[in-house]
Amino acid sequence: MKLPQGRLVRQRVVSDPGTALASALETELTGYARLESQDALLLDADGVGVLTFEDGVPTVAYHTGTDSAGEDALTDIAVAGPYRLQLYELAAESLAEIHATEELCVPPETPAQRLAGDPSLAERTREVAPETHPSADAAETADEPSAVEAFLDDEEKIRAIQERARAEAKERATEWEFTQ
């Protein structure tokens, strides 16, 4: 995904990617955010998360290191912070072609849900999103459970993890000579 260079309007280190989303929404940013995680900063991990906005509403998500797009990119962006955040202002015409690429688009509320875990921010974003948002069709499938919800609904996997944790705890207790 190639974006033209925008005008830098904000740069700072943040612990929560929700800060970028809230700031873009409050300022009605048309442009994009670059979120570079501590892994990329400290460990030479590849990749930067890029979110585009139109009037403050997230439209596109992309991760440069994994070349993932859309909702998959949000998973790659949602690594441990802190993040170096850069917000750029860019003309809507410069983003039109990218926003028209369906596989890059995300439902308006999804970044707030997945990156920030902030239902209030997700609701505020959904309220201001236009009905013509590029992912309007994708929003119909947004009722599907998230990866975390699907995992939590899988009782067999949870039971297996609990059993494995108990076995490891017993093994360590024996190793460290703890008695019951």
Side-chain angles (χ1 to χ4, degrees), residues 35 46-50 61-69 72-74 76-77:
L35 288 160
D46 289 332
V48 173
V50 178
Y62 183 77
H63 192 274
T64 64
T66 59
D67 198 31
S68 58
D72 291 339
L74 295 175
D76 295 332
I77 294 169

Side-chain angles (χ1 to χ4, degrees), residues 41-112:
L41 294 170
L42 301 174
L43 304 175
D44 285 337
D46 289 332
V48 173
V50 178
L51 298 168
T52 68
F53 301 89
E54 191 159 335
D55 297 325
V57 177
T59 305
V60 162
Y62 183 77
H63 192 274
T64 64
T66 59
D67 198 31
S68 58
E71 293 188 46
D72 291 339
L74 295 175
T75 302
D76 295 332
I77 294 169
V79 297
Y83 301 85
R84 180 170 50 191
L85 164 65
Q86 298 170 315
L87 289 176
Y88 292 90
E89 193 173 65
L90 191 61
E93 301 80 45
S94 299
L95 295 167
E97 185 177 332
I98 292 167
H99 287 178
T101 308
E102 190 174 314
E103 58 270 5
L104 297 173
C105 293
V106 293
E109 69 280 355
T110 304

Side-chain angles (χ1 to χ4, degrees), residues 4-56:
Q5 181 67 40
R7 183 177 69 83
L8 182 65
V9 293
R10 186 175 213 179
Q11 178 174 307
R12 62 188 262 202
V13 174
V14 297
S15 59
D16 178 8
T19 304
L21 301 169
S23 181
L25 186 63
E26 290 164 11
T27 62
E28 297 180 359
L29 176 73
T30 296
Y32 60 97
R34 287 178 40 92
L35 288 160
E36 189 171 7
S37 75
Q38 71 176 357
D39 291 345
L41 294 170
L42 301 174
L43 304 175
D44 285 337
D46 289 332
V48 173
V50 178
L51 298 168
T52 68
F53 301 89
E54 191 159 335
D55 297 325

